[in-house]
Amino acid sequence: PGCLLLQLLSYLGACDRLLKQGYEEGQVEEAMEMFQYSEKKAAEFLHLLAQFNDMGFQQNEIKEVLLLCGNQREKALEELVMK
């Protein structure tokens, strides 16, 4: 039980830090789940998602490509441009 509490506190802390960076709550929760609660990977994903979104790409396409490319920016950008 104590271990579960530590995991929960760690998750909430990570979510709080990502929210303070300006990401939306739903996106933060989704990213944390997609990357098995890795704050680092979720943060990379959210950063790239916002970047590609600003470039005018569709959010659902961005998510799909980032997952397929493992958050590799150049590879993901190449895939998005080819779509």
Side-chain angles (χ1 to χ4, degrees):
C3 190
L4 186 58
L5 181 58
L6 286 175
Q7 287 177 332
L8 179 62
L9 289 173
S10 175
Y11 170 79
L12 292 173
C15 287
D16 188 53
R17 286 186 290 279
L18 292 169
L19 288 170
K20 285 180 178 170
Q21 292 178 40
Y23 300 115
E24 294 175 22
E25 188 172 351
Q27 288 181 330
V28 167
E29 290 173 359
E30 183 181 25
M32 288 292 285
E33 286 178 28
M34 286 190 312
F35 293 100
Q36 287 133 13
Y37 309 109
S38 165
E39 182 179 355
K40 182 177 186 263
K41 289 182 181 181
E44 289 172 357
F45 174 83
L46 291 166
H47 175 73
L48 291 170
L49 181 66
Q51 231 179 30
F52 292 145
N53 207 20
D54 288 347
M55 291 179 185
F57 295 107
Q58 296 297 314
Q59 197 161 4
N60 59 338
E61 287 182 355
I62 299 168
K63 287 179 184 179
E64 180 185 320
V65 167
L66 286 174
L67 283 172
L68 289 173
C69 296
N71 283 349
Q72 294 178 29
R73 186 187 187 285
E74 298 306 316
K75 193 173 179 183
L77 184 56
E78 208 172 279
E79 288 290 324
L80 287 167
V81 170
M82 290 192 318
K83 281 191 173 229

